[in-house]
Amino acid sequence: MSMNKIKFKKLSTHAVSPYKAKKGDAGFDMTAISIDETENYIEYGTGIAVEIPENYLGILVPRSSVTNKNLILKNSIGIIDSGYRGELKFRYLRLKDETGNMRNNIYNVGERCGQLIILELPCFEMEEVNELSDSERGCGGYGSTGS
């Protein structure tokens, strides 16, 4: 089976090449090389830019280790369009304790701070219609199919 290639560029001499820890892993681990912290978030720079082919997208997601940290990815997932050539960054919301103080269990420079997943996009166009077909679910949402 031929392997597709995603071109990437190191924007810093400290950048770590994206890699998969194990064969068959879905995501490429991304390593933090910088931390930018504000009152509202903590952002990890990877020093990596990618060239995602047309008709594909990149998705930035947390690693499962985030459950051991006091962080939540600020935008749930990050969508990287094929035309973007900037640095891949992970922006997290830092959780506060019961007294309102920031919790300190975060990723540090040199640690893997997230993953990049590359997916092929199906080709669709939007078509405006006057009616949609019926379905079993219909308009039910927000838990309408049970708890």
Side-chain angles (χ1 to χ4, degrees), residues 24-73:
D25 284 356
F28 291 90
D29 286 334
M30 304 296 293
T31 303
I33 66 162
S34 66
I35 297 175
D36 179 23
E37 195 166 355
T38 73
E39 185 177 304
N40 298 315
Y41 61 81
I42 184 167
E43 183 175 87
Y44 296 96
T46 65
I48 297 290
V50 294
E51 185 176 321
I52 297 172
E54 196 171 309
N55 298 320
Y56 286 78
L57 81 148
I59 301 175
L60 296 178
V61 297
R63 297 179 62 245
S64 61
S65 66
V66 79
T67 61
N68 300 320
K69 305 294 182 185
N70 296 114
L71 301 168
I72 297 174
L73 197 60

Side-chain angles (χ1 to χ4, degrees), residues 123-142:
C123 293
F124 290 102
E125 291 180 0
M126 296 297 281
E127 176 186 4
E128 184 178 356
V129 297
N130 292 325
E131 296 293 327
L132 299 175
S133 64
D134 290 332
S135 74
E136 184 178 331
R137 184 173 186 169
C139 295
Y142 298 113

Side-chain angles (χ1 to χ4, degrees), residues 15-31:
V16 176
S17 299
Y19 66 95
K20 292 186 177 187
K22 293 189 172 46
K23 184 178 178 179
D25 284 356
F28 291 90
D29 286 334
M30 304 296 293
T31 303

Side-chain angles (χ1 to χ4, degrees), residues 89-106:
K89 297 180 179 184
F90 291 83
R91 187 174 285 185
Y92 287 93
L93 174 67
R94 281 185 70 179
L95 300 177
K96 297 179 180 180
D97 64 19
E98 348 19 269
T99 63
N101 294 319
M102 290 291 184
R103 293 180 174 170
N104 290 321
N105 191 11
I106 61 172

